[in-house]
Amino acid sequence: MSTHDPHSDVVVHGEGELPDRFDDPGLHEHKPRQADVDPKVAKRVERQVLFLFTLSILGTIGVVWAYFALPPGETPDSMRTSNVVLGVCLALSLLGIGIGGNHYIKVLMSNREYVEERHEQRSSDETREIAVQMLKDGAQDSGLSRRGALVGAGLTALALFPLAIVVPLIGNVGEDWNVRKFKHTMWKKGTRLATDPQGRPIKASDVTIGDVWHVIPDGLNELEHGKLDEKAKAIVLLVRLDPRDLKSDQSPAGETWGYDGIVAYSKVCTHVGCPVALYEQQTHHLLCPCHQSTFDVADACKVVFGPAKRPLPQLPITVDDEGYLVAQSDFHEPVGPSFWERATK
Amino acid sequence: MSELKTPPSGGAKAAAATADYLDQRTGVGNAVKFFARKVFPDHWSFFLGEIALYSFVTLLISGVFLTLFFVPSMSEVTYPTEGVWATMRGVEMSEAFSSTLRLSFEVRGGLLMRQIHHWAALVFMAAIVVHMMRVFFTGAFRKPREINWVVGFVLLILGLAAGFSGYSLPDDVLSGNGLRITDGVIKAIPIIGSYMSYFVFGGEFPGHDLIPRLFTVHILLVPGLILALIGLHLFLMVMHKHTQYPGSGRKNTNVVGYPAVPVYAGKLLFNFFVVFGVIALMAGTMTINPVWNYGPYDPSPVSAGAQPDWYMLFLEGALRLMPGATEVMIGPYTLSLNVIIPAMIVPGILFTALAAYPFLEAFATGDKSEHHVLDRPRNRPFRTAFGVALLVAFFILVLAGSNDLIATHFHLSINDITWTFRVFLFLGPWIAFVVTKRICLGLQRKDRELVLHGHETGRIVRFASGEYIEVHKPLDAHERWLRVQHEAVRPLEIEPAEDSRGVRRKGYKADRMRQRLSQLFYEDRVEPVTPAEVAAAHGHDEHDEQHTAIEGHGQPAGVGASAHGAEPDGETAPDGRNS
Amino acid sequence: MKALAARRHDRRAPALLLLLALLLVGGAYAVLVPSSADAATTKTATADDVATGEKLFQANCATCHGASASGTASAPSLIGVGAAAVDFQVGTGRMPMQSDGPQAPSKPVVFDDEQISQLAAYVASLGVGPAIPTEDMVDPSKGDPANGMALFRTNCAMCHNAVGAGGALSQGKFAPNLWETTPTHIYEAMLTGPQSMPVFNDANLTPEEKRNIIAFIDEQGEVSPGGLDLGSIGPVSEGLWAWVVGLGLLIGISVWIGAKSS
């Protein structure tokens, strides 16, 4: 129970008139810690800190020992052992110092609080006046105020100079800047469809209902240059549906882009370009694992859910003389995410 | 100067000679004089920034190690058929990926350093966010610290850039798909999108330039900028002197705390070891970014659970939530609002709101004075509620970015989750705002209650008249000061639209807008207790009746208790033992 | 200890011990037998098996799949699905289905191995379909895990996660974790395409490639070189642990450092 009288703090001004605000009672009285008054406690804490620092020394020795004695080796087990022992010893070495030092500061270092005055950030009026005067003098000495044309030319030169750096620097960054490449892939008339990643050409007779085939153009794996660039655009997903389930595909009137229930669609999402690879056999839905755009393969790959707007472009396919699936042509529209001039010629 | 009886030891002599040498050439004495006993306030939440700083130092140390072994190249190599990792034998991969495998599996301590680096990056971003929350909710960004808030904000953005560029360096499938998404987002930029994509990737995605470019960004540009800005951040902190929490003796004109030497410097030193130690412990025991699970980048595969590191997850979430129908055609041109809105506009709004808040609040408050004593978050209901609303929006987006994992772990439908988050992205922040504001006002009322009537003691006393009453123990002066020290900011008052002659005043509209903003911020408030109210409360017998609403609404606070008049000798405890 | 010692002298003890021994033998039988049973069915399915299988089918499956196994509105036809489909669906407990849901999850298995092989024999007798693979076809030690990983990444990882930890499909369906699935069941799943899963026929993934995939999965979900694997589900769990463990510990220590010593 406090013996403090709450009324005593309310300073009475004049005749019973109370102030608007309470007064700050001032800093707490400094209370000594146990370790300040009891040498035994201080001694104990000293021993604790000593122990922690010793632990750190042992940790460091442990790291060096483990470095030589526990190489990562050849198996996941030996790698894990090496990593765990090194990591835990390093942590001991560091935490021993960190916790020990902080413990010492908390308990044994003086904890007397000090008060320092603050000053306004702004400089004094006098300083400001001097500063302004200095600048004026400087301007005067420069003699520029009388030479307007010179200043203008100088500023223009300064403003233009960065171009000398930026143009060569930026100019090459985009290599050939030929953004029309977005609109074409390496699929062309007669390119065989091959399995990804093996590159085996696919026979139409091998494709059964309920299958899903991840497809690359035949010959992609043999490309010398830009293999990944081409692959990034050319990947295709091939499925065979029961022709009764196939509601529609993207073939224009009078043409057939599928073959006996087999349809091929670009695997690059029309949202932001993830591979839309997740095919649900029963619902014929294709799901993108990145942002969950869902496309209906049975219905021309139209979007049924998620952030994509456009259907996945269809690759027109047919079979060649040997029964292999081949492309009729390239895609009839750019694959992948939308860009500004996507639909232009 | 000193009159030492014992002659100084050899060590002391050498130290003195060195100090003299240095001082004569650098004037270091002045710096020591300035710094050595400078006072720094102490509070656990002031270490949050230090955690960020030291995880950055940890990043630098481990990062230097990694650069010694990492090869930033996209040229193709084949993992040796006798290589240590069975599932990679004979697989084609970029040099970046193969060197990452080598430094993980074959370089001694390499895996530990890689894991330290990645965990430190996650902790770095988390510490920045928590530090920023502390600064925000306590109002530490107010004059004169607005510029330092902006510096901190830029550091946050640079941290994101550093994290993102580093995450992609190993050239694995997971980060590669992240880059592919980035490419999709860049292409969505109107008019210049495809050229921007070429600019970033040096041609078509993925090209051959990206990893070396990201490497330069990651180890030179961004860390250089971060270092420079950390310097500025700390310089401004020292110049301003640190803020302090309210409490007895803590004023706007002083700073109370421990001297730099030895306490603050000691903590500064040892905290580094604590932060590095905790990160080392994590790296030793928990796998992070096991790129050998994902395999080298190839544009065809993708794995379930394709997500970025946590600090980018909100963007992923925004992309997942946006319905696709918003992509529109303008003539022959495609405008992908389904990408632009979530990937650029939503984060733009979140970040602009964050960066501009100090200026917005200063404008609404019309306050030009310096503030060095922090706010208790409850005393600024609007700000606290606004901050919580922003956080809730961020958190919902993070959850939306994890919706597939939520679906599998809680056996829910991913479609339902997406729809729920679509709704909650709009509802959540509003609910959070209203609830937080009510909680703040409630806490303030609780403070008033305590100051006016003291702590409940649970002791019931019976008067001679038969009336029962609970004895309340008054707050001591320190406890009370904490609850009454703040100023309740009231909405701005402006001059009327027309002067006495009925002429419309110039600038009235701007003033009116400012007043509206100010009302939004400060209309609902609870005023701190005044001495008169305490006197009145104690003077009133039926002490339970005066809990009438104290908060003002549009006008200065009505004071319920004052109507009852003051009887200076009244006490809650009839027997006077309480006083 | 005393209580145990006292019980040892209880006259019911022999009976209890006998019961325990029986359970042990039964358990051991259950654990040891399936492999041989699998192998047996692939070789010889007698007319007897088919007949018993038909009885089992009529009692347990015909309600949904129809008396002639030609399917109803609520369940697909089983003609031509083969023994592999039955062994997978019944052997992982997915069938018989217990309740309607987004998909039939694996459950404790209802039938014993003999019954499963009899059911499989009956369904296989209805029409030609994929057979149960032999031990040799699913032996992980004979596969190439590196090739398996490359194939797994392209064909499986988008649903089952990079190392087979599982993932979400649409509308509450999911691709399960594969770490506890037996090699035979993995093979059968690829061959028959159960539920949402598409089929990977032998032209798409050759038997050898299927075995490579099994060899890859066999190595997953065990020891991670970096320490705890945190579920192998990627950056989300890493972020969660960075906050909980990393920031949790650091803020905890900060509070300790900032607190005044008593």
Side-chain angles (χ1 to χ4, degrees), chain C residues 10-150:
Chain C
D10 196 311
R11 59 199 157 80
R12 282 168 297 184
L16 199 74
L17 272 176
L18 196 69
L19 195 73
L20 269 175
L22 276 175
L23 277 174
L24 213 85
V25 171
Y29 182 78
V31 171
L32 294 173
V33 159
S35 48
S36 57
D38 276 358
T41 48
T42 55
K43 288 180 191 100
T44 49
T46 63
D48 226 22
D49 284 341
V50 175
T52 325
E54 183 169 8
K55 276 189 204 126
L56 281 167
F57 182 87
Q58 295 303 342
N60 296 288
C61 321
T63 331
C64 303
H65 289 286
S68 57
S70 54
T72 65
S74 57
S77 159
L78 299 183
I79 296 165
V81 300
V86 179
D87 189 56
F88 176 84
Q89 298 284 3
V90 185
T92 58
R94 284 178 167 80
M95 291 293 145
M97 234 172 131
Q98 241 159 23
S99 58
D100 262 348
Q103 71 185 49
S106 63
K107 305 184 290 289
V109 182
V110 175
F111 299 104
D112 64 29
D113 295 299
E114 199 186 350
Q115 290 170 319
I116 294 171
S117 63
Q118 287 160 346
L119 267 173
Y122 168 66
V123 172
S125 74
L126 298 173
V128 184
I132 297 168
T134 63
E135 280 289 288
D136 184 61
M137 291 163 79
V138 300
D139 187 352
S141 64
K142 291 182 177 147
D144 168 11
N147 179 256
M149 181 175 184

Side-chain angles (χ1 to χ4, degrees), chain A residues 43-270:
Chain A
K43 200 76 205 159
R44 196 185 68 218
V45 173
E46 233 179 281
R47 276 198 303 272
Q48 286 166 348
V49 174
L50 197 72
F51 169 76
L52 285 164
F53 283 159
T54 315
L55 211 61
S56 163
I57 295 170
L58 291 177
T60 306
I61 294 173
V63 171
V64 176
W65 168 79
Y67 181 85
F68 289 107
L70 297 172
E74 303 265 311
T75 65
D77 260 316
S78 61
M79 288 168 190
R80 182 165 71 174
T81 309
S82 163
N83 188 59
V84 169
V85 175
L86 277 173
V88 171
C89 287
L90 179 62
L92 273 185
S93 150
L94 293 161
L95 288 174
I97 299 176
I99 307 264
N102 271 313
H103 193 34
Y104 176 80
I105 292 175
K106 258 173 70 105
V107 188
L108 295 176
M109 220 177 241
S110 159
N111 72 336
R112 192 166 287 283
E113 285 185 317
Y114 289 78
V115 180
E116 205 175 275
E117 292 302 307
R118 285 183 196 272
H119 307 285
E120 252 198 316
Q121 287 300 319
R122 82 188 286 273
S123 42
S124 66
D125 288 339
E126 199 185 338
T127 313
R128 281 187 179 189
E129 244 169 64
I130 295 172
V132 170
Q133 192 52 49
M134 282 174 151
L135 291 178
K136 278 182 184 160
D137 292 348
Q140 185 71 33
D141 289 353
S142 73
L144 285 175
S145 54
R146 284 172 280 123
R147 300 186 179 90
L150 191 75
V151 173
L155 286 179
T156 313
L158 272 175
L160 286 181
F161 149 75
L163 282 179
I165 305 284
V166 169
V167 169
L169 191 74
I170 304 295
N172 278 321
V173 172
E175 305 282 351
D176 61 5
W177 295 106
N178 178 13
V179 297
R180 296 189 61 80
K181 283 187 208 157
F182 290 156
K183 300 194 174 180
H184 305 286
T185 74
M186 70 178 280
W187 289 105
K188 53 181 187 290
K189 188 175 161 59
T191 310
R192 281 184 177 165
L193 280 72
T195 56
D196 178 22
Q198 309 96 317
R200 274 198 306 267
I202 302 164
K203 275 197 163 144
S205 55
D206 284 338
V207 184
T208 49
I209 291 175
D211 274 3
V212 64
W213 297 65
H214 296 266
V215 171
I216 49 175
D218 190 24
L220 176 86
N221 284 346
E222 286 73 48
L223 280 187
E224 290 284 309
H225 298 289
K227 190 171 127 184
L228 291 189
D229 298 1
E230 289 303 337
K231 189 168 184 180
K233 292 185 294 184
I235 43 177
V236 159
L237 201 94
L238 181 82
V239 297
R240 181 171 211 154
L241 302 174
D242 187 330
R244 282 171 297 180
D245 290 338
L246 197 60
K247 275 181 249 166
S248 69
D249 62 9
Q250 294 172 16
S251 352
E255 289 187 55
T256 314
W257 281 4
Y259 176 78
D260 201 15
I262 304 176
V263 283
Y265 286 95
S266 165
K267 205 169 121 180
V268 192
C269 190
T270 55

Side-chain angles (χ1 to χ4, degrees), chain B residues 32 35 69 76 109 156 199 277 352 360 382 431 463 501 510 543:
Chain B
V32 171
F35 269 113
F69 300 97
E76 219 165 79
L156 169 77
F199 177 80
T352 311
L360 203 69
F382 179 89
I431 296 173
F463 281 94
R501 284 166 299 165
H543 69 294

